[in-house]
Amino acid sequence: DAGVTQSPTHLIKTRGQQVTLRCSPKSGHDTVSWYQQALGQGPQFIFQYYEEEERQRGNFPDRFSGHQFPNYSSELNVNALLLGDSALYLCASSWQDNEQFFGPGTRLTVL
Amino acid sequence: KNEVEQSPQNLTAQEGEFITINCSYSVGISALHWLQQHPGGGIVSLFMLSSGKKKHGRLIATINIQEKHSSLHITASHPRDSAVYICAVWGSGGGADGLTFGKGTHLIIQP
């Protein structure tokens, strides 16, 4: 079992661009949550997907959107990138409301 | 919104010492998680608990729901335990609320 995987590992973009991050959940998991972790801070909840629907959303603007596919994998899209969007983006998967398992993260740098 | 406070923020100890990290939260929860994050970003789930006490190897986690407080203990600490330890909670709505994280405790175990 590969566990939770994320791609890419690192990404550099410029302000105003758009980015798509990808997450494959652990085998048997059906729920994917996304978190943003700024340098030196704890992660912040962005949103959660279950049964291909956004189930809950944290305090993030509409520039942040996502999708879950029938195979439970998920994408996080960020439009009109700002310098402040530079962070580590973490994906976590679980089977419904059980323990979450985290991926290695994607480090996004916005120049 | 739940406020999650951890103490201490930084902790340096000698190998073999007994380590305690504390977490308090402001609003009732459905579950509390202890996570470990190493340099580079990867997060590992250590415990998920909603009552009582759990033990895994040299790690012990306890929670007091009435006092809204949890502790993570490390017995016979080792330099490989050096990491950031993060407390995170699920609100009363369960996993759909996403995790609310503390800022983490930076632990360094010196040989």
Side-chain angles (χ1 to χ4, degrees):
Chain A
D1 181 10
V4 181
T5 60
Q6 290 185 245
S7 63
T9 305
H10 296 86
L11 200 52
I12 299 175
K13 292 285 190 179
T14 56
R15 281 179 295 175
Q17 284 189 311
Q18 179 264 342
V19 69
T20 297
L21 310 182
R22 296 176 175 82
C23 172
S24 291
K26 186 177 169 66
S27 177
H29 287 183
D30 59 2
T31 303
V32 174
S33 302
W34 286 94
Y35 299 89
Q36 179 196 64
Q37 185 176 24
L39 197 62
Q41 301 295 317
Q44 299 287 322
F45 174 64
I46 303 175
F47 43 53
Q48 184 181 88
Y49 277 85
Y50 172 69
E51 293 188 339
E52 302 180 51
E53 296 284 335
E54 183 181 296
R55 189 160 78 147
Q56 191 60 273
R57 188 179 184 93
N59 188 26
F60 278 79
D62 291 344
R63 297 187 297 109
F64 289 76
S65 64
H67 189 77
Q68 186 179 35
F69 299 94
N71 66 354
Y72 306 117
S73 67
S74 177
E75 288 182 350
L76 164 65
N77 301 292
V78 187
N79 294 322
L81 283 167
L82 304 173
L83 295 179
D85 295 331
S86 295
L88 179 70
Y89 288 84
L90 293 159
C91 163
S93 75
S94 64
W95 181 72
Q96 296 182 6
D97 284 353
N98 289 285
E99 185 175 6
Q100 294 193 351
F101 290 78
F102 287 80
T106 293
R107 188 162 298 280
L108 172 64
T109 301
V110 182
L111 301 176
Chain B
K1 180 172 162 46
N2 222 331
E3 300 292 331
V4 181
E5 299 287 337
Q6 285 186 237
S7 64
Q9 289 186 339
N10 298 283
L11 179 58
T12 300
Q14 297 296 312
E15 183 174 357
E17 286 189 36
F18 181 81
I19 304 297
T20 295
I21 300 171
N22 295 300
C23 173
S24 60
Y25 50 92
S26 58
V27 180
I29 63 170
S30 59
L32 182 143
H33 303 244
W34 281 103
L35 309 166
Q36 180 192 58
Q37 187 170 32
H38 282 279
I43 289 182
V44 175
S45 178
L46 300 175
F47 296 103
M48 173 178 158
L49 65 166
S50 55
S51 65
K53 175 180 175 177
K54 286 190 175 181
K55 182 176 189 294
H56 185 258
R58 294 181 295 107
L59 302 177
I60 303 166
T62 64
I63 188 169
N64 185 317
I65 295 296
Q66 287 73 30
E67 294 186 3
K68 296 186 176 61
H69 180 270
S70 175
S71 293
L72 175 69
H73 306 284
I74 305 175
T75 62
S77 60
H78 190 277
R80 65 174 174 267
D81 297 326
S82 298
V84 176
Y85 291 83
I86 304 173
C87 169
V89 301
W90 268 337
S92 55
D97 290 341
L99 287 166
T100 299
F101 294 77
K103 291 187 177 180
T105 295
H106 293 248
L107 174 66
I108 297 174
I109 303 297
Q110 295 178 336

